[in-house]
Amino acid sequence: MKRNHALLLAAAISGLCLFAKTTVDYDHAANFAKYHTYSWISVAVQEPLWKDRVTNAVDGQLNAKGWHKVVSGGDAAISAMGATHTQQTLETWYSGGFGGGWYHRGWWGGPGMVVTEVEHTPIGTLHIDIFDTQTKKVIWHASISDTLTQKPDKDEKKLEKNVADVFKKFPPAGM
């Protein structure tokens, strides 16, 4: 019974890691109808190949919303910063006997064992900020945190999907 609970808990934790954690916030006083062009300030990511991937993903979303990229002097300015870190996950497995537990004497009379494994999961986080170029204030911010697979093609598809998700309701309603 306890083993089933441990397996269920482990599956639930693993399942949560499969979904991106995204947040979007914006300046509720900003008039997004006045922004039509944008320029990039910077894209700071740890992996050099990802600079173009992040830029292209954001450009694609903004172009779909009717915004046009200019080399400099846009109505808005975009900045993106990405980083990775490792998250520790503990998984505990019970074995031997009915009921498990630390050296529990189970159904067969033998001692049960508890084994805990530590897994290190790489997590990538991307922050995208849009600034009003006149006031230099942030008018929109998105944060995306997702588990990385260590397979660049798969991670690139996740990036594109996650960037599309945060731009679904862009510009904010009523603006």
Side-chain angles (χ1 to χ4, degrees):
M1 181 78 160
K2 287 183 182 181
R3 179 179 168 95
N4 289 342
H5 287 288
L7 290 173
L8 184 60
L9 180 61
I13 290 170
S14 297
L16 289 174
C17 292
L18 296 176
F19 299 105
K21 297 172 185 126
T22 61
T23 59
V24 175
D25 197 6
Y26 64 96
D27 179 354
H28 295 270
N31 178 7
F32 283 84
K34 75 177 191 175
Y35 303 104
H36 304 285
T37 60
Y38 69 97
S39 304
W40 278 95
I41 298 171
S42 68
V43 178
V45 291
Q46 291 174 326
E47 298 291 329
L49 293 173
W50 281 84
K51 183 175 182 175
D52 287 340
R53 292 172 184 162
V54 169
T55 303
N56 291 338
V58 173
D59 284 348
Q61 292 302 313
L62 289 174
N63 287 336
K65 302 295 183 172
W67 286 34
H68 302 285
K69 182 178 174 179
V70 295
V71 176
S72 64
D75 302 325
I78 314 291
S79 174
M81 184 175 74
T84 59
H85 69 279
T86 303
Q87 177 177 317
Q88 250 186 8
T89 305
L90 301 176
E91 289 200 32
T92 303
W93 307 98
Y94 299 93
S95 66
F98 179 79
W102 270 322
Y103 298 103
H104 179 270
R105 295 217 178 259
W107 183 260
W108 297 278
M113 298 291 291
V114 176
V115 177
T116 300
E117 296 176 359
V118 179
E119 291 186 13
H120 300 278
T121 306
I123 307 287
T125 302
L126 178 65
H127 296 274
I128 304 168
D129 292 307
I130 300 179
F131 298 85
D132 180 296
T133 54
Q134 299 298 312
T135 64
K136 310 275 191 261
K137 290 184 178 181
V138 175
I139 58 171
W140 188 86
H141 172 80
S143 177
I144 303 165
S145 180
D146 202 355
T147 303
L148 301 175
T149 65
Q150 301 302 321
K151 295 177 183 173
D153 291 341
K154 197 171 194 178
D155 289 341
E156 187 174 357
K157 288 177 184 171
K158 283 175 134 183
L159 170 72
E160 291 170 5
K161 178 194 173 299
N162 294 337
V163 170
D165 285 347
V166 296
F167 278 97
K168 271 184 183 171
K169 295 181 180 178
F170 182 88
M175 297 291 158

